[in-house]
Each structure stands twice: as structure tokens, then as C-alpha cells.
Amino acid sequence: MQELTEAIQREARRLLEAGEVDVVIGFTKGTLPLRAAPFFVRKAADVERLIWNSFCENNLARYLRGLRNKKVAIVAKGCDSRSIVALITEHQLEREKIYILGIPCRGMVDRRIVARRAPGEVLAAREEGEEVIVEGESFSLRMPRSEVLYRSCAACVHPNPVLYDVLLAEPVAIWSEDPYVYVREMERKSPAERAAYFASEAERCIRCYACRQACPMCYCEECFVDHTTPRWIESGATPAGLQGWQIGRAYHLTGRCVDCGACERACPMEIDLVYLNGKLNKDVRELYGFETGLVVGELPPLAVFRPDKDPDFTG
């Protein structure tokens, strides 16, 4: 990790000193253990605050649309790079204004799993090889890194950036054989069990919209949930309103979600969100052979209308 931190700092300094970019988006050390924070560097003197470790969980592509009038360099994992490709394809970004520092990713550590395993409050955390070490007032605990990855990271089949200007390390081997293992677990349940599970998860939603704010693909100027004329879903925290929000958002992301898990990580209620988006991604992959964010210019199937390909389609 230290080598990657130094490589990021070195490349960021070069870009800023040469005036090739206005800002570099990366990570800095968080104010709490097990956390790193998005960091915007505009002066070469600040590049030493940039870091890389297994807690750099945010999908930084979320911030690019807000900097479209700038030349931006961005630290990008596999999922971040897929988001960038998808946003370019949807004409939300201009490729020539983005310099991508590609980071082959080994998956991010789920701070919530770590905290639950720790016998007390975690006051410090670090990594040594394939282990995560956490310490509290009266304990020091080692955990195999592979056991505490985020669910979306454990199932990831695109850990290497698909688009970059410079790759700062050798590509990593893909460890997952099934990107939708958690979806298949849900599919084995009966329809009644799935409906009950969805209802129980949805009713815990407090409609803070942190999931929307963390998602790089949720960029509508006015979200359907905020629309009042007409009103698409109930605005209160009713079962219908809560379920309408979860279903509506999932459908808007059908074939567009990059499976980064940012929505679930941002949720303060720890609602199971990735299985819903994952199920729709899985269906799109099986029906159309499509995964978003792999090829610039390749639109999601549900964004394409080709009457010449399907003359029987009447809309």
C-alpha cells in the first residue's frame, strides 16, 4: 500500500506542477479509525496528504460532474473507472478533461464487519500484508483481510481499471468467480420470502437519500422522488413510499449500476441495497450480455431504442 501511496503522490505532484490539471481527487487519512476521506488537492504542496489503503471505499467518480469546467485527475479503482466510462457514454463527462490514475484494487475492507468482530471500540487500525489489525484499550486483534471485505468487493470481477491514463501498479488477479453470488442466495428463497425480506429492509429506510448522494450514476438535476407535479411516490415514510423509493431507484439504475456498493456503504441504517441493484444487473447481463462501464460509447440496453432490430416493438 505504501508503494501505491507514493506513486499517487508522485504522479499528482507532477500533474499539478506541470499545470496539466487543476485538481487531483484522491483520498486522505480519515478522522476515525478504519476510514479514509475523499480529498481534493489543488496545490503540489498538499500531495503528501494523499494516501492509499483498504479503507479508500468511496467511488470518487461521484465528484467529477461537479468539476466539469476543470481539468481533473482522479484516483480510480476498477469500479470508479467503470463509472467514468458510463458517465462519458451518457455525455456527462468529457474524456479529454479527465486524467485517470488507475489503481488495481484488492477490495475494500468493510469497517462494519471489523467493528462487529472487535471486542471493544476500535481506536486504531492498520494493515500488514494480508491482515487487518485493530486495537482498542485492552485488545489487539488480527483479521484475515479476505474475511472482512465488503460484499460487493468480495464478488468483484472487475478489480482493475478498464480505462486509465497511467496504471500505478501491476493488474491484480481476479479472485471472484461469481459477481452475483449474493443475488443467487436471494433467488433461492420463495417469492413470499423475498417479498417479506424486501419489505422488512425497506421499512428501515429513513429517506435520507445518502444512497443517492453516494452513487455516481444518480445525477438527475431533479430526482423523481423530489418531483411534486406529478408526484411519483408517496412522500411520507409509509410502506408504499419507502418501497416505491427503493424500487424506483433500482429501476433507474438497471443496467447502469457498476456494482461498487457505494449506496450500501453510505446507508446509515445498513439496509441491504446491493442485492436489489445486483439482481437487475444480473438480469441485464443474462438477457443482453451487457455490463455497464466496460466500453466507452456502449449504452445500456434499456437506453437504446432500435425499431429496425425489433419491428414488432410498438412501445
Side-chain angles (χ1 to χ4, degrees):
M1 296 292 180
Q2 183 58 33
E3 292 83 0
L4 269 174
T5 293
E6 292 172 1
I8 291 169
Q9 293 175 354
R10 187 165 52 249
E11 189 65 8
R13 180 178 290 105
R14 183 190 71 77
L15 291 166
L16 289 167
E17 288 181 343
E20 293 186 27
V21 300
D22 300 307
V23 58
V24 178
I25 308 175
F27 289 92
T28 194
K29 185 178 180 181
T31 55
L32 296 172
L34 305 168
R35 302 299 292 262
F39 188 50
F40 298 71
V41 184
R42 293 179 171 82
K43 298 182 295 185
D46 292 332
V47 300
E48 291 186 1
R49 296 176 62 188
L50 288 165
I51 65 162
W52 181 259
N53 58 34
S54 293
F55 311 118
C56 297
E57 62 185 39
N58 301 67
N59 188 330
L60 296 180
R62 178 69 179 91
Y63 302 105
L64 286 174
R65 289 187 70 257
L67 294 166
R68 283 179 290 180
N69 61 338
K70 303 287 186 183
K71 291 187 293 185
V72 181
I74 182 170
V75 173
K77 309 180 287 291
C79 51
D80 302 56
S81 73
R82 290 182 63 198
S83 301
I84 294 169
V85 168
L87 289 167
I88 293 171
T89 299
E90 295 185 9
H91 307 293
Q92 299 302 309
L93 300 175
E94 297 177 61
R95 175 66 180 97
E96 56 271 22
K97 289 186 176 179
I98 305 167
Y99 190 94
I100 303 171
L101 309 177
I103 305 289
C105 178
R106 297 167 57 242
M108 293 293 122
V109 167
D110 189 334
R111 52 190 154 78
R112 291 165 171 168
I113 295 178
V114 172
R116 283 195 286 269
R117 287 191 178 189
E121 183 182 3
V122 175
L123 300 177
R126 67 182 189 279
E127 296 175 84
E128 285 184 10
E130 293 303 313
E131 290 186 316
V132 177
I133 303 161
V134 293
E135 296 173 335
E137 282 192 359
S138 59
F139 69 89
S140 177
L141 183 64
R142 290 176 176 266
M143 305 179 195
R145 191 176 174 284
S146 60
E147 295 182 4
V148 292
L149 293 179
Y150 278 107
R151 183 170 49 164
S152 54
C153 295
C156 179
V157 295
H158 299 292
N160 297 302
V162 298
L163 182 69
Y164 54 83
D165 293 285
V166 58
L167 192 64
L168 296 181
E170 292 297 318
V172 297
I174 298 170
W175 55 84
S176 172
E177 296 180 353
D178 184 359
Y180 303 115
V181 60
Y182 48 86
V183 176
R184 295 185 206 284
E185 292 173 3
M186 187 62 63
E187 288 177 334
R188 284 193 283 271
K189 298 180 183 294
S190 70
E193 290 173 325
R194 293 199 296 269
Y197 181 76
F198 169 68
S200 67
E201 288 296 292
E203 73 177 7
R204 297 193 293 117
C205 177
I206 58 174
R207 294 184 74 161
C208 66
Y209 305 128
C211 50
R212 177 184 69 186
Q213 298 307 112
C215 176
M217 302 310 296
C218 275
Y219 58 73
C220 291
E221 295 298 328
E222 183 178 24
C223 179
F224 76 96
V225 76
D226 298 322
H227 206 275
T228 56
T229 309
R231 186 178 296 283
W232 298 108
I233 63 173
E234 292 184 18
S235 57
T238 62
L242 297 175
Q243 293 180 23
W245 160 240
Q246 301 292 346
I247 292 172
R249 181 173 179 276
Y251 272 127
H252 282 197
L253 290 169
T254 301
R256 300 175 61 240
C257 169
V258 301
D259 296 309
C260 67
C263 53
E264 190 167 281
R265 290 194 289 271
C267 179
M269 302 306 292
E270 301 188 34
I271 295 172
D272 185 351
L273 295 172
V274 300
Y275 88 93
L276 203 56
N277 294 328
K279 167 62 177 170
L280 293 171
N281 277 349
K282 175 176 173 290
D283 287 350
V284 168
R285 183 179 181 181
E286 291 175 351
L287 288 169
Y288 302 102
F290 178 84
E291 289 181 275
T292 197
L294 299 182
V295 179
V296 173
E298 194 169 83
L299 284 167
L302 272 63
V304 179
F305 175 52
R306 294 287 302 275
D308 56 319
K309 295 290 185 181
D310 186 3
D312 295 330
F313 180 77
T314 56

